[in-house]
Amino acid sequence: MQGIDINKLLDTLLYHEKDPLLFNSSFFLFFFGFFLLVYLVSYRFNALKVYLLTLFSLYFFYKTCGWYVAFILIAAFFDYNISHFIYRSTNKRRKNALLVSSIILNLGLLFYFKYTNFFIGIVNDFSSNQINYLKLILPIGISFYTFENLSYTIDVYRGVFKPVTKFIDYLFFLSFFPKLMMGPIVRAADFIPQINKEPFVSETQVGEGLYLITAGIIKKVVISDFINANYVIHVFENPSLHTGLECLLAVYGYAMVIYCDFSGYSDIAIGIAKWLGFDININFLSPYQSSTITEFWKRWHISLSSWLRDYVYIPLGGSRKGVFNTYRNLLITMLIGGFWHGASWNFIFWGGLHGAALALEKLRNSFGRRHLVILPYSRIATNAFATILTFHFVCLGWIFFRCDTFNDSWIMLKQITTNFQPHLLKALVDGYWPVIIMLVIAFLLHSISTKSEGSFKQLIIKMPLPLKILYFFICLYIAIQFKQGVVIKPVYLQF
Amino acid sequence: MKKSNNKIGQPLILVSYVIVLLFILSLFKLPIGILNGLDRIDILADIRKDEPKPVPQKVISKNTATLAKNTSPSMDSTLIIDFDSTFPLKHFYQKLDSVKLTGKKVRIAYFGDSFVEGDEVTDELRLQLQNLFGGNGIGFLPMQSNVASLYTQVRINSSGWIDYNFRDNPYKFPLGLSGHVFHPFRNGEADYFPKTNNLPTEVKLYTGRMFNYTVVFTSTNGKSGVAALNTDKLINETVLSKGSAIKSFKITTTNEDIPFYGVSLEGAKGVYLDNYSFRGNNSILAQQISTDVMAQLNSYLHYDLIIVHYGLNALEHDKQKSPWFENSMNTLIKNIRKGFGNVPILLVSTSDLGYKYNGKYATEKAVPYMVATQKEIARSHKVAFWNLYEAMGGENTMVNWVEGDTVLAAKDYTHLNTKGAKRVGDLFFNKLMASKNYYQQQTSTNK
């Protein structure tokens, strides 16, 4: 083995565009260890703790997106001040104007980076003068902290709470590194009161944190990355070259990939926060156990769906302004939700699909029925059927969510419906058995009841420290094996 | 909350112990193995000094003198090397130059694997050759293709064919150069819509030996009707339409006994490039093409260059030698020589392939060795050689092509995407032309 290269060591401390800092990197392990050491020394001195944690968070942000770290400082500065102006202002019109300016500023920045090229594309489609696309790099986390900024200013405007008195507290909230990159979207009202308390981490919190961190790492690195890199990515890259059978497995695979990736990252964020003495609400609750789309959105990316409910759906009028407006509001909310995920028609369509499903379910509920199909004699069968149906609807949505273009989405659907080729099942299993086993394990784990999950969590909480260390070590060891692991070469089913 | 119950120090203990344990473990390699064996973990991998690069030993040439004579030291290593002192490729180059004057055809056969599947890479190469030397039409096409979407110069709609091929040929039907033969099942239909600017003016059909049969064909602009097929040879050519530009062409048959090999859409003169690619072919599969089939088809198509491009499927992880590949290529080249006669052969090396080493993709270590082996095979058979691996950029090309700003290759670090295929086709054309110029310069200075 080679010795340590000092230049490389120094170089890893800098930002690298190709290599943003993620929780599942070995750099993060060292970063986090060093950070915990500093935190332990400083946590009793409130001001020092807040400044140091903020500094670490900003460095973390720098490591993920370079000098775009400036944007979070600018956004924090403006929102901190605007919210104070709003709070102090007694003039309703002035309050409104200030709120609007904050919304324009926040959304303007988000739109500029995330959606400019999308709109240039639309203009180019309809005009003979072609505008050149801008070379923009999306500042990582901007979608999340923009929504956090907005909820803060809107809550101050609504009089839900007083604005924070110190700028550093606001910057601390906005930049808090565990949730900075991929959420959850934290509400100021939940988080800010925790900032100036002396952090207290109970035995239970250490155990819960450990459970969440390890579960998150396993979900992200062992399940999601493995299924994705070894199968899903190849099929979605060119669906027309794969049979319907392969495409269908890729859709099921992607359902697990996106869930484990996203919720795994959230779990790690929440777990790390717990270890630091901060509580962040859970973001995912076994969403594929849902038996309706309405339920799905109460279990999937909860911090986003509740944000959309509180800051889009309800202000639009929610369900208070008549039947037609309710359905309209649902659809608009979900279209915005879709667009938030990315700048393409596919995401908008995906949002619309879910919006339409939510509206239809509301309509069905108004007739007093909870399920589309009621199977005779058995509530369990009805529920199971509804769960499978809901899962497949969600999968249908994922096709549009994942494919780069509409055309690819239709090809995928066409392959599944008209070119299924079931006789290739054996070849598929022979070629990709590790992926299929992993997928089956993932779905089995996903179907575990909240109760069993709770008892496993209790088991970890009650472990003595050496056993906790061993458990943590084994999980990380497995994750590193998978991260470094050899990839399965794609095999051909069709000749 | 008692202060003594604050376990805020525990996370640091957990993380520190785990770092220490992982570090200790990184000093050992565990003997147990799941999933292709456990890797030695190394959490400090990112900041270690680079390992000295292993250089593939030069394959020692038995005849270094030939090499020295054929390749001057100033020659660019990304150009085509002709290992035969009589320069067979020179004849191909001369034919290219004279094609406009003589009004004849120049024809190239390209044998490959999934790297050039469908018409990938070859479409761009053909386009540029035809732009410069004339030619209209895509050349040979199968009756049906699983990868019809990979043909950019023609749309193929077909149905009703049973595809017997290298991998699935229970009745041992003679296979065509493409590795396929198609038998109609009830109603065989193949509909071709050329998408090139210059439309083809000839449609030729290739079928097997049989009793007398006919096929129905309809076309836009060209001829339509019922054609009596030639039937007496191992493979028969029947000209279905000739003269006028063809916008679409459809062949229909209900005779389940006719073996169909494919059609050729071409013009009266210019350059034609036939893509004979087959997924997963490591060169062994191609041995199933009989030399009689080669000879028979060559008597109709008159090839001027045979390109042989395998290797990706022959790579064995981290291996430096593949004797079976050498043997297989030796047999294949002998077969080609026997089947096609004196047609010059150009051996193209494998492209780069990425492999995950310690969590990061890099060039598979076997690749440079494979390239060296292929070069040696070319030398020993005195055929021309093109180092595609080097020409594409050498080490870590795939990593750069997959992870670069402009994505040119697929996430399997093996195959190209449409942009990448176009890039390689363009590269092939430019290197072919540069090699042609180089040889012409060399020969004129020698005179």
Side-chain angles (χ1 to χ4, degrees):
Chain A
M1 219 181 277
Q2 300 292 315
I4 302 297
D5 186 332
I6 292 295
N7 290 329
K8 275 194 176 181
L9 174 64
L10 294 174
D11 192 51
T12 39
L13 298 177
L14 298 176
Y15 161 65
H16 291 279
E17 195 187 319
K18 291 258 149 63
D19 206 9
L21 180 55
L22 296 171
F23 290 153
N24 53 324
S25 63
S26 49
F27 181 90
F28 182 75
L29 191 64
F30 291 107
F31 170 83
F32 189 48
F34 180 61
F35 166 75
L36 282 173
L37 186 71
V38 174
Y39 190 63
L40 201 61
V41 175
S42 65
Y43 80 99
R44 285 175 207 275
F45 314 98
N46 188 45
L48 186 65
K49 175 198 80 181
V50 172
Y51 274 96
L52 276 174
L53 228 162
T54 310
L55 205 63
F56 265 100
S57 293
L58 292 175
Y59 173 69
F60 182 89
F61 197 54
Y62 160 77
K63 267 291 286 178
T64 60
C65 64
W67 296 111
Y68 279 168
V69 66
F71 286 118
I72 203 162
L73 288 165
I74 295 168
F77 177 77
F78 275 97
D79 280 284
Y80 171 76
N81 286 301
I82 288 177
S83 59
H84 270 282
F85 291 140
I86 291 176
Y87 183 68
R88 273 186 251 134
S89 169
T90 44
N91 180 335
K92 182 81 181 161
R93 281 177 70 177
R94 204 175 132 82
K95 261 183 196 286
N96 289 347
L98 284 164
L99 179 68
V100 169
S101 69
S102 161
I103 292 174
I104 289 176
L105 180 86
N106 281 297
L107 290 183
L109 220 52
L110 179 65
F111 262 77
Y112 175 71
F113 283 103
K114 199 165 178 176
Y115 303 105
T116 307
N117 282 334
F118 175 71
F119 288 109
I120 289 178
I122 295 177
V123 172
N124 283 352
D125 284 345
F126 288 101
S127 107
S128 52
N129 293 338
Q130 297 292 298
I131 309 169
N132 286 335
Y133 288 98
L134 302 181
K135 201 172 179 322
L136 295 172
I137 300 165
L138 186 67
I140 290 170
I142 193 170
S143 308
F144 292 94
Y145 71 70
T146 298
F147 272 27
E148 287 174 343
N149 262 328
L150 285 174
S151 70
Y152 173 74
T153 330
I154 295 170
D155 281 353
V156 169
Y157 171 84
R158 285 174 178 170
V160 178
F161 59 76
K162 284 189 203 167
V164 285
T165 48
K166 282 180 280 180
F167 172 67
I168 191 73
D169 284 358
Y170 189 65
L171 187 60
F172 179 102
F173 153 68
L174 208 59
S175 66
F176 187 60
F177 75 83
K179 51 87 183 163
L180 183 62
M181 275 177 69
M182 283 192 229
I185 300 166
V186 175
R187 302 281 181 89
D190 298 329
F191 191 84
I192 286 175
Q194 303 182 49
I195 295 177
N196 289 312
K197 277 197 296 191
E198 188 179 316
F200 179 87
V201 184
S202 68
E203 183 114 39
T204 312
Q205 277 166 311
V206 173
E208 278 180 349
L210 181 62
Y211 168 75
L212 284 166
I213 290 168
T214 50
I217 288 172
I218 298 287
K219 275 187 193 169
K220 166 94 185 82
V221 181
V222 178
I223 300 175
S224 177
D225 289 354
F226 183 79
I227 298 174
N228 193 38
N230 288 311
Y231 185 75
V232 171
I233 210 167
H234 305 308
V235 179
F236 275 95
E237 207 153 37
N238 207 336
S240 68
L241 300 186
H242 296 85
T243 60
L245 180 71
E246 290 164 285
C247 289
L248 186 67
L249 182 69
V251 175
Y252 290 152
Y254 183 65
M256 217 12 114
V257 166
I258 184 158
Y259 166 68
C260 286
D261 188 82
F262 205 174
S263 76
Y265 214 87
S266 277
D267 287 350
I268 301 172
I270 299 165
I272 289 174
K274 275 208 191 310
W275 276 3
L276 305 180
F278 290 86
D279 275 318
I280 298 178
N281 290 336
I282 202 81
N283 209 14
F284 290 84
L285 276 173
S286 304
Y288 297 140
Q289 289 183 15
S290 314
S291 63
T292 62
I293 295 297
T294 314
E295 188 188 348
F296 176 79
W297 281 102
K298 287 177 181 155
R299 288 164 170 267
W300 177 272
H301 204 179
I302 299 163
S303 65
L304 174 71
S305 49
S306 63
W307 195 97
L308 289 171
R309 181 194 65 211
D310 294 348
Y311 300 99
V312 182
Y313 178 68
I314 292 176
L316 279 172
S319 55
R320 292 157 301 162
K321 303 223 165 133
V323 180
F324 172 79
N325 285 344
T326 305
Y327 297 142
R328 185 205 60 186
N329 295 342
L330 269 175
L331 200 63
I332 293 175
T333 306
M334 292 312 289
L335 285 172
I336 292 174
F339 200 41
W340 178 84
H341 282 84
S344 86
W345 288 109
N346 275 39
F347 288 115
I348 298 173
F349 186 80
W350 170 79
L353 210 59
H354 276 274
L358 290 176
L360 282 175
E361 284 186 358
K362 234 187 173 51
L363 183 70
R364 188 187 63 205
N365 291 349
S366 67
F367 288 107
R369 283 179 65 158
R370 194 174 131 66
H371 291 301
L372 196 63
V373 179
I374 309 282
L375 296 176
Y377 311 117
S378 170
R379 228 182 53 180
I380 293 173
T382 302
N383 219 32
F385 183 76
T387 305
I388 292 169
L389 202 67
T390 302
F391 174 69
H392 281 83
F393 180 82
V394 172
C395 281
L396 176 74
W398 290 143
I399 295 179
F400 291 92
F401 191 91
R402 173 62 176 78
C403 285
D404 294 334
T405 60
F406 256 127
N407 191 32
D408 275 359
S409 316
W410 295 123
I411 289 173
M412 197 115 194
L413 282 171
K414 203 178 130 202
Q415 293 294 76
I416 293 172
T417 48
T418 64
N419 183 24
F420 195 70
Q421 307 216 25
H423 64 279
L424 292 171
L425 183 65
K426 192 181 171 299
L428 185 76
V429 174
D430 285 349
Y432 293 106
W433 62 268
V435 172
I436 294 173
I437 288 176
M438 184 63 82
L439 196 57
V440 170
I441 293 174
F443 275 108
L444 286 177
L445 286 175
H446 191 85
S447 60
I448 283 177
S449 66
T450 325
K451 206 176 137 197
S452 329
E453 197 190 329
S455 21
F456 183 65
K457 205 187 287 176
Q458 280 306 316
L459 188 77
I460 293 171
I461 292 168
K462 296 223 169 82
M463 278 178 184
L465 190 59
L467 217 56
K468 278 198 179 101
I469 293 171
L470 186 70
Y471 165 75
F472 191 24
F473 167 71
I474 291 171
C475 288
L476 278 192
Y477 180 73
I478 294 172
I480 293 171
Q481 282 297 339
F482 270 85
K483 192 164 148 45
Q484 289 189 170
V486 177
V487 287
I488 303 168
K489 282 267 145 197
V491 293
Y492 297 119
L493 295 190
Q494 248 188 328
F495 287 96
Chain B
M1 280 195 289
K2 267 196 265 166
K3 281 225 161 147
S4 58
N5 287 338
N6 195 348
K7 305 285 183 198
I8 198 161
Q10 274 199 7
L12 178 63
I13 299 173
L14 278 161
V15 171
S16 314
Y17 268 101
V18 164
I19 291 179
V20 171
L21 282 172
L22 287 173
F23 183 73
I24 293 172
L25 202 72
S26 70
L27 303 173
F28 303 101
K29 189 165 173 91
L30 287 183
I32 41 167
I34 45 161
L35 290 168
N36 306 321
L38 288 178
D39 277 356
R40 179 189 295 212
I41 56 158
D42 185 6
I43 47 174
L44 297 174
D46 288 344
I47 53 168
R48 285 197 196 281
K49 287 177 184 154
D50 289 326
E51 272 182 48
K53 290 245 163 63
V55 185
Q57 293 165 301
K58 280 227 172 93
V59 181
I60 307 297
S61 163
K62 288 167 207 144
N63 191 356
T64 20
T66 337
L67 177 69
K69 211 169 79 186
N70 287 349
T71 55
S72 67
S74 62
M75 187 179 166
D76 177 356
S77 66
T78 63
L79 294 185
I80 294 168
I81 309 167
D82 205 336
F83 281 118
D84 187 337
S85 54
T86 62
F87 301 124
L89 279 195
K90 198 173 70 185
H91 304 298
F92 168 70
Y93 298 147
Q94 283 167 348
K95 252 201 123 171
L96 270 182
D97 279 332
S98 64
V99 71
K100 275 191 168 164
L101 300 171
T102 57
K104 284 187 180 164
K105 288 182 191 176
V106 168
R107 199 163 191 121
I108 306 165
Y110 197 121
F111 291 93
D113 52 26
S114 57
F115 192 75
V116 292
E117 185 160 41
D119 198 22
E120 286 205 296
V121 177
T122 43
D123 51 2
E124 181 66 19
L125 177 58
R126 179 187 306 111
L127 185 78
Q128 299 216 31
L129 283 169
Q130 292 185 339
N131 281 345
L132 197 58
F133 301 104
N136 41 321
I138 186 169
F140 183 88
L141 289 168
M143 304 312 289
Q144 120 181 336
S145 172
N146 282 334
V147 290
S149 65
L150 292 182
Y151 289 86
T152 56
Q153 298 176 353
V154 65
R155 182 158 63 84
I156 310 172
N157 289 346
S158 42
S159 61
W161 303 94
I162 303 174
D163 175 4
Y164 297 103
N165 56 55
F166 286 151
R167 302 247 183 213
D168 182 15
N169 188 13
Y171 311 109
K172 302 281 171 235
F173 292 124
L175 298 172
L177 298 179
S178 63
H180 296 266
V181 62
F182 302 90
H183 284 242
F185 178 67
R186 297 196 187 118
N187 238 336
E189 283 186 5
D191 212 349
Y192 305 90
F193 303 87
K195 292 197 275 190
T196 45
N197 289 335
N198 298 323
L199 292 170
T201 53
E202 290 178 13
V203 181
K204 297 168 180 170
L205 176 67
Y206 298 90
T207 48
R209 199 195 296 276
M210 63 209 144
F211 299 110
N212 291 330
Y213 274 119
T214 55
V215 292
V216 180
F217 63 98
T218 51
S219 73
T220 320
N221 292 12
K223 271 172 67 180
S224 297
V226 179
L229 299 176
N230 298 324
T231 54
D232 55 329
K233 306 240 171 57
L234 176 63
I235 291 176
N236 304 279
E237 181 184 76
T238 309
V239 179
L240 297 181
S241 182
K242 194 171 181 174
S244 37
I246 286 149
K247 280 188 173 167
S248 78
F249 200 91
K250 183 178 186 175
I251 294 166
T252 323
T253 181
T254 50
N255 296 319
E256 298 191 356
D257 298 333
I258 315 177
F260 282 78
Y261 289 94
V263 298
S264 177
L265 303 184
E266 52 188 83
K269 54 185 183 183
V271 184
Y272 297 91
L273 172 58
D274 299 330
N275 180 314
Y276 297 122
S277 53
F278 195 95
R279 276 186 186 186
N281 195 351
N282 59 22
S283 78
I284 290 184
L285 291 174
Q287 291 179 24
Q288 292 180 37
I289 309 166
S290 81
T291 51
D292 294 338
V293 166
M294 292 180 188
Q296 190 72 65
L297 276 165
N298 195 37
S299 73
Y300 305 124
L301 297 166
H302 310 290
Y303 283 108
D304 300 291
L305 178 67
I306 310 283
I307 299 174
V308 182
H309 179 188
Y310 297 114
L312 271 181
N313 294 289
L315 286 167
E316 293 168 283
H317 178 48
D318 281 359
K319 282 245 174 87
Q320 301 189 3
K321 280 187 175 163
S322 321
W324 66 267
F325 179 70
E326 287 181 53
N327 291 336
S328 163
M329 285 297 287
N330 289 340
T331 314
L332 184 63
I333 293 172
K334 277 178 198 155
N335 287 354
I336 290 173
R337 284 240 162 96
K338 196 174 166 207
F340 291 95
N342 283 330
V343 180
I345 298 171
L346 167 60
L347 211 126
V348 176
S349 85
T350 179
S351 47
D352 186 32
L353 174 107
Y355 192 85
K356 210 171 165 192
Y357 291 102
N358 289 324
K360 274 200 178 134
Y361 276 95
T363 286
E364 155 66 56
K365 284 177 187 156
V367 170
Y369 293 100
M370 172 56 81
V371 175
T373 305
Q374 290 177 313
K375 192 169 177 181
E376 186 51 32
I377 293 169
R379 187 201 317 278
S380 69
H381 286 275
K382 295 189 172 176
V383 300
F385 175 76
W386 184 42
N387 193 335
L388 172 64
Y389 167 71
E390 207 59 56
M392 279 173 69
E395 193 178 353
N396 287 334
T397 297
M398 267 299 150
V399 178
N400 298 331
W401 284 35
V402 175
E403 296 169 6
D405 288 338
T406 313
V407 180
L408 297 167
K411 291 270 164 41
D412 59 6
Y413 292 79
T414 311
H415 295 98
L416 303 167
N417 63 16
T418 318
K419 261 191 199 152
K422 198 167 146 60
R423 168 93 54 108
V424 174
D426 182 63
L427 181 72
F428 204 149
F429 172 77
N430 288 321
K431 292 294 173 186
L432 186 65
M433 290 304 108
S435 307
K436 176 171 165 279
N437 289 339
Y438 178 82
Y439 273 106
Q440 278 161 349
Q441 275 169 16
Q442 292 293 105
T443 42
S444 64
T445 47
N446 285 349
K447 268 176 196 169

